[in-house]
Amino acid sequence: MMILKKDRTTFQTARRAIRHNGFISLYDGLSAQVFRQCSYGLLRFHLYHKGKEYVDEFNFLHKIFVATVAGVIAGIVGIPSEMINTRMQIDRMLSPKIQRNYKHVFHGFYKVCREEGIRALYTGGMYACTRSALATVGQIAVYDQSKILYLRYLKLDEDSKVLHLISSLSAGIICAPLVQPIEILKTLKMVATSNYLSTKKQKKLHFMRFGFRGLFRGFTATICRMVPNTIILMLVYEELRLRFGYYQPHDL
């Protein structure tokens, strides 16, 4: 929706995609998304929780700092797969003349390196790292802080699934508007070609032609993805932590 010239709703866009390209088109870019999550996603979790050992874990500003650093480092690792994922997701919406037709993430890597050079894999890197930092703050740091606040005011058990659910719900709701504007900029940068959104003026006109609402185009789709994604991510993380958590030396 971020690159569409016509003003369509999320459901109109989804219905159009299914009608023209089939239901499976809703999963375009899946291989790149899985590859990205297995690298960038795991790394930001690990860096955040390791970094939290060196700061005051009850200080939200400290957690924001750690989450920002973890997000930027993980974002650098995830830029190539994020770019391929972004291009694969919107490819069918473009004119056939400028479609890239990546078959899967590794085919995308190969075509980019062959046609555009290795440096092109890091197109939109600044926006991707910024988005990664904001997403790590919005999902992980906010989730941690929400748990502390809900524990204090709702008197829930620390390992309660209700606590994990409402904390992850809060994190997902906060994270979605936090990342949406930079998500649009990242998408426009990564999908640009020599004759499509190739100049800053074209990007600006495309970005703001719907006024302030242009900053949040596709927000419905983002929140429909971000909220359940965050809930599932955090519930799975908590289950893994409870069942397979780290053993301290004195526990052995």
Side-chain angles (χ1 to χ4, degrees), residues 160-229:
S160 165
K161 287 182 174 57
V162 173
L163 174 64
H164 301 159
L165 178 62
I166 60 176
S167 298
S168 57
L169 176 63
S170 301
I173 291 173
I174 291 172
C175 186
L178 197 62
V179 303
Q180 186 63 15
I182 200 72
E183 179 86 41
I184 296 175
L185 287 172
K186 179 205 68 149
T187 300
L188 295 180
K189 180 68 175 178
M190 288 181 170
V191 303
T193 66
S194 58
N195 55 2
Y196 179 74
L197 297 174
S198 56
T199 67
K200 290 184 179 179
K201 183 178 180 181
Q202 287 175 332
K203 290 186 180 70
K204 183 177 179 181
L205 290 173
H206 184 96
F207 188 57
M208 293 305 297
R209 72 186 182 284
F210 295 103
F212 180 77
R213 191 163 57 89
L215 292 167
F216 294 93
R217 286 203 78 202
F219 179 72
T220 303
T222 297
I223 202 163
C224 287
R225 174 180 63 86
M226 185 70 71
V227 172
N229 173 273

Side-chain angles (χ1 to χ4, degrees), residues 107-124:
H107 182 240
F109 289 153
Y110 171 73
K111 285 194 70 173
V112 170
C113 291
R114 188 187 66 180
E115 298 173 3
E116 304 173 52
I118 293 178
R119 290 182 61 184
L121 288 172
Y122 286 85
T123 301

Side-chain angles (χ1 to χ4, degrees), residues 28-210:
D28 284 349
L30 180 62
S31 63
Q33 182 69 278
V34 171
F35 185 87
R36 171 176 166 267
Q37 289 298 337
C38 289
S39 54
Y40 144 86
L42 294 175
L43 182 59
R44 68 184 181 130
F45 257 89
H46 175 71
L47 292 176
Y48 173 79
H49 287 287
K50 290 299 290 184
K52 206 169 66 167
E53 296 175 4
Y54 300 95
V55 299
D56 179 4
E57 64 176 300
F58 295 100
N59 188 313
F60 187 44
L61 292 179
H62 288 191
K63 285 186 281 194
I64 289 177
F65 173 75
V66 171
T68 300
V69 173
V72 169
I73 296 173
I76 293 171
V77 173
I79 292 169
S81 53
E82 177 134 10
M83 189 193 72
I84 300 300
N85 177 50
T86 300
R87 289 182 173 184
M88 290 178 73
Q89 288 179 337
I90 60 89
D91 207 40
R92 296 179 195 258
M93 302 179 190
L94 303 177
S95 165
K97 294 181 179 179
I98 58 176
Q99 286 181 357
R100 294 178 169 94
N101 298 313
Y102 300 150
K103 297 177 182 177
H104 48 75
V105 61
F106 299 109
H107 182 240
F109 289 153
Y110 171 73
K111 285 194 70 173
V112 170
C113 291
R114 188 187 66 180
E115 298 173 3
E116 304 173 52
I118 293 178
R119 290 182 61 184
L121 288 172
Y122 286 85
T123 301
M126 183 184 71
Y127 297 125
C129 288
T130 304
R131 181 205 175 278
S132 177
L134 291 172
T136 307
V137 170
Q139 283 186 311
I140 306 178
V142 170
Y143 173 76
D144 265 359
Q145 192 66 20
S146 297
K147 280 178 64 178
I148 292 173
L149 294 175
Y150 290 137
L151 277 170
R152 181 185 303 168
Y153 296 110
L154 300 183
K155 309 300 182 183
L156 295 171
D157 182 74
E158 187 174 359
D159 296 329
S160 165
K161 287 182 174 57
V162 173
L163 174 64
H164 301 159
L165 178 62
I166 60 176
S167 298
S168 57
L169 176 63
S170 301
I173 291 173
I174 291 172
C175 186
L178 197 62
V179 303
Q180 186 63 15
I182 200 72
E183 179 86 41
I184 296 175
L185 287 172
K186 179 205 68 149
T187 300
L188 295 180
K189 180 68 175 178
M190 288 181 170
V191 303
T193 66
S194 58
N195 55 2
Y196 179 74
L197 297 174
S198 56
T199 67
K200 290 184 179 179
K201 183 178 180 181
Q202 287 175 332
K203 290 186 180 70
K204 183 177 179 181
L205 290 173
H206 184 96
F207 188 57
M208 293 305 297
R209 72 186 182 284
F210 295 103

